[in-house]
Amino acid sequence: MRRPTHGTLHHVELWVPDLNRALASLGWLLETLGYALFQSWESGRSWRLGPTYLVIEQSTALTADQHDRCRPGLNHLAFHVEDADTLDELTSNATRHGWDLLFPECHPYAGGRQHYAAYLENDDGFEVELVAIEAPKRN
């Protein structure tokens, strides 16, 4: 691993109400995006890609049983995806791993005409945005 660039994100820690449910949705997504399992313990896991890692933990200190992306705090995580075909395949497969497509009436341009992306929400209310690095040419 190369030395991280100053200011690069080190890690993100998400507290989840049900670790197994999070592993089925978030764990699947991270591994599909190329993250490798980094750490594992009874109440959590972490995955690394380059110098950044993402933690999913079912903490005993939770004060609620579901994430609310509309409250102050984390709204969503956004990930680059190689291209539109890869994004379309991920979006299609995501429903079998606990994800629902948000804004289906506007998909894949819910973020605007030049932004080819999928917005997904899992059963615990966490949202991810998958953004094609190379979007298809539009006429």
Side-chain angles (χ1 to χ4, degrees), residues 101-115:
L101 181 64
L102 296 173
F103 322 115
E105 68 285 354
C106 303
H107 176 74
Y109 295 103
R113 293 183 48 81
Q114 302 304 317
H115 188 71

Side-chain angles (χ1 to χ4, degrees), residues 6 39 57 86:
H6 176 83
Q39 300 165 315
E57 182 174 10
T86 304

